[in-house]
């Protein structure tokens, strides 16, 4: 159950980030499909809520409001918690849906067991480093 709750915790912000990406429609439709399995009567409302979230995030991005993404992520975290508590068997499908825009794993030799992934929302920048980093702008 802890893994399911952890997935819900990360799914909210992940979906929020994907809504402004190139595959937002596929993510939206995938989330709606998951909802139809648990609560068919809510599917259309979930789709509409995702559409609204996308519009709000786009407007917030134009205003430079980075807090909108965090608030929207928290809202969707609660929704995914509800979904996964009712139907934990959907966890693998949700994970696959969230992996849509992530880079494929490297097939080369693994130098370290550590992996980093960053996604900027709202025109921000992401800087990943394993050690010291100097940034000059």
């Amino acid at each position: 159950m802890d893994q399911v709750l952890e997935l819900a915790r990360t799914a909210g912000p992940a979906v929020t980030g994907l809504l402004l990406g190139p595959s937002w429609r596929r993510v939206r439709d995938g989330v709606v499909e998951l909802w139809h399995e648990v609560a068919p009567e809510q599917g259309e409302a979930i789709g509409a809520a995702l559409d609204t979230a996308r519009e709000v995030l786009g407007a917030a991005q134009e205003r430079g409001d980075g807090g909108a993404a965090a608030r929207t992520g928290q809202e969707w975290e609660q929704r995914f918690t509800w979904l996964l508590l009712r139907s934990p068997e959907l966890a693998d499908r949700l994970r696959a849906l969230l992996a849509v825009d992530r880079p494929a794993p490297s097939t080369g030799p693994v130098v370290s067991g550590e992996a980093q992934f960053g996604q900027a929302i709202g025109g921000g920048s992401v800087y990943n480093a394993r050690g010291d980093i100097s940034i000059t702008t």
Side-chain angles (χ1 to χ4, degrees):
M1 189 56 70
D2 288 343
Q3 290 177 342
V4 168
L5 294 176
E6 179 63 22
L7 175 59
R9 188 186 68 74
T10 59
V15 165
T16 299
L18 292 170
L19 285 177
L20 294 179
S23 58
W24 76 271
R25 176 61 72 180
R26 186 169 30 163
V27 170
R28 177 206 182 277
D29 293 346
V31 170
V32 169
E33 183 179 314
L34 292 175
W35 239 271
H36 270 290
E37 300 221 4
V38 177
E41 71 283 356
Q42 293 181 17
E44 286 185 40
I46 289 297
L50 286 165
D51 293 340
T52 300
R54 184 173 192 274
E55 291 173 17
V56 167
L57 291 169
Q61 186 176 39
E62 289 177 13
R63 290 190 317 269
D65 177 6
R71 291 186 300 274
T72 303
Q74 289 172 344
E75 175 187 339
W76 283 96
E77 175 185 342
Q78 292 172 356
R79 291 176 189 235
F80 284 118
T81 298
W82 179 91
L83 178 77
L84 292 172
L85 285 175
R86 277 151 189 77
S87 194
E89 69 276 4
L90 295 177
D92 288 338
R93 288 178 48 201
L94 180 57
R95 279 188 200 94
L97 181 64
L98 297 178
V100 164
D101 277 349
R102 298 227 174 139
S106 171
T107 56
V110 176
V111 176
S112 162
E114 184 177 315
Q116 297 181 0
F117 175 77
Q119 181 175 9
I121 298 174
S125 300
V126 175
Y127 302 95
N128 289 335
R130 183 161 184 206
D132 295 337
I133 186 169
S134 296
I135 301 169
T136 307
T137 57

